[in-house]
Amino acid sequence: MADQHKTLRLGSVAPDFEAETTLGKIKFHEWLGDSWGVLFSHPGDFTPVCTTELGEVARRAPDFAKRNVKVIGISANGLEEHHKWIKDIEEYGVKTTGPTHVEYPIIADADRKISYLYDMLDYQDVTNRDAKGLPFTIRTVFIIDPKKVIRLTISYPAVAGRNFDEIIRVIDAIQLGDKNRIATPVNWNKGDDVIIHASVSNEEAKTLFPEHKVHYPYLRTTPLKAN
């Protein structure tokens, strides 16, 4: 089964699907519409690391919204378990960071159909199975643009909680790069100088980026607002 799966890469179109979620049935591409999307997976409900992550995503809802990003979770359980888990997520959020409301959908994927479609199943660890012997989902993140193209994938090990500051930082970098002929340097944060793309000639750079600096013929930096 795994060997027949088509690997998703950066630049692949994110597979469309229909799914039951905590906010009702959706068709994924239709649900995304003209928005960016973050799809992030979980091995199962009532898992400690993922409980903290889902609460953080709920807390950061305004940050995603102002970037035109819709977030959607997926976990290898049914809707009944999801709704029970949300109560824990919100309660823990209140204890640690303040009022927490999970208002984004969580996909029910007890049969692993969508996890298989996105190649998120753990085929390596034979202990990472449910009572039926089905593999659990690897903790993966996909950033998907409005054209439904995958722009980033990250898979996390079980011991490391996801860093949503980094995920938002990458969204900023990709969106800024799409609007301007630039790339972002190491450890870039919103407001920092950026790198002028190699496709921009020196003459064009004088017009497009009048404040730019030439460090080497191949490395030119410029201030640029992250609009």
Side-chain angles (χ1 to χ4, degrees):
M1 183 175 179
D3 293 338
Q4 298 174 356
H5 193 277
K6 182 180 179 181
T7 301
L8 296 177
R9 304 183 186 278
L10 300 187
S12 297
V13 174
D16 198 10
F17 57 82
E18 293 187 14
E20 296 290 346
T21 82
T22 50
L23 297 182
K25 190 171 184 177
I26 67 162
K27 293 182 179 179
F28 185 52
H29 284 192
E30 183 180 287
W31 175 81
L32 279 176
D34 295 327
S35 298
W36 291 69
V38 171
L39 171 65
F40 63 114
S41 62
H42 306 274
D45 295 1
F46 308 106
T47 49
V49 174
C50 298
T51 298
T52 66
E53 292 175 336
L54 286 159
E56 173 68 2
V57 172
R59 185 179 72 81
R60 302 295 293 270
D63 294 327
F64 288 109
K66 71 183 182 182
R67 292 165 172 82
N68 189 31
V69 177
K70 291 182 176 181
V71 295
I72 186 165
I74 179 170
S75 186
N77 292 85
L79 288 179
E80 184 177 351
E81 290 90 349
H82 283 1
H83 286 296
K84 291 178 182 178
W85 190 24
I86 286 173
K87 293 179 182 178
D88 287 356
I89 294 162
E90 294 181 337
E91 182 179 80
Y92 181 76
V94 169
K95 291 178 181 177
T96 55
T97 58
T100 302
H101 304 286
V102 179
E103 297 179 340
Y104 56 86
I106 304 173
I107 297 166
D109 195 36
D111 58 9
R112 316 295 200 269
K113 285 184 179 179
I114 298 165
S115 296
Y116 173 72
L117 186 64
Y118 275 77
D119 195 21
M120 296 187 291
L121 293 175
D122 187 353
Y123 294 107
Q124 303 301 320
D125 185 352
V126 295
T127 68
N128 196 16
R129 301 286 189 273
D130 67 7
K132 297 179 181 178
L134 291 173
F136 280 117
T137 307
I138 295 170
R139 295 165 57 246
T140 304
V141 178
F142 291 90
I143 293 177
I144 300 164
D145 71 18
K147 295 180 180 179
K148 314 303 182 289
V149 172
I150 295 171
R151 303 296 294 277
L152 171 138
T153 64
I154 310 176
S155 293
Y156 286 79
V159 298
R162 280 172 270 215
N163 185 330
F164 283 93
D165 288 336
E166 168 63 5
I167 291 166
I168 289 172
R169 188 192 76 89
V170 175
I171 291 169
D172 284 338
I174 296 170
Q175 291 183 344
L176 193 63
D178 282 359
K179 292 178 182 178
N180 305 275
R181 294 167 71 183
I182 60 94
T184 52
V186 62
N187 297 333
W188 175 87
N189 283 293
K190 202 170 183 179
D192 293 347
D193 285 2
V194 299
I195 294 172
I196 299 172
H197 197 275
S199 65
V200 178
S201 71
N202 289 333
E203 287 303 312
E204 287 179 302
K206 292 176 184 178
T207 302
L208 295 174
F209 310 105
E211 299 178 61
H212 79 278
K213 296 178 180 178
V214 179
H215 304 276
Y216 304 102
Y218 59 86
L219 176 54
R220 301 163 296 171
T221 61
T222 184
L224 185 72
K225 291 183 179 180
N227 50 12

